[in-house]
Amino acid sequence: MTAKPIVPRELANRDVEDAIWYYLGESSNEVALGFVDALQRAYRHISRHPARGSSRYATELNLPGLRSWPVGRFPYLVFYVETKDCIDVWRVLHSARDIPVWMHERWPE
């Protein structure tokens, strides 16, 4: 299978920055770097195997094609849609959030 490029939206990039700042402030540089490494591994997996992500939230949010994939040992999920040309990453959210409510409050543009 050919890998598709990962294209994070602005909100996804902000989510990642917030998570990194959280880990830098509450833990250590090593933990923050571990999060970045885990996210990069998740992105690589998604780019090669986009259909393996969970479609649970696609049903809850009535968004056909929306999938999620966990960020390794960190409590985050990558939310994305596969398009013809790329993987459109909408959000990277902490899994303890009320995901359906949070996605509706800050809908990707």
Side-chain angles (χ1 to χ4, degrees), residues 7-44:
V7 181
R9 293 183 180 215
E10 183 180 338
L11 284 174
N13 286 331
R14 265 192 259 152
D15 295 336
V16 170
E17 288 175 14
D18 289 347
I20 291 168
W21 281 111
Y22 172 80
Y23 287 123
L24 286 171
E26 297 296 320
S27 192
S28 67
N29 289 351
E30 291 79 22
V31 174
L33 288 173
F35 173 77
V36 171
D37 288 342
L39 180 63
Q40 289 174 345
R41 283 192 302 276
Y43 280 175
R44 278 193 302 273

Side-chain angles (χ1 to χ4, degrees), residues 59-70:
T59 303
E60 287 185 42
L61 295 169
N62 194 28
L63 289 171
L66 181 69
R67 294 194 177 269
S68 63
W69 187 259

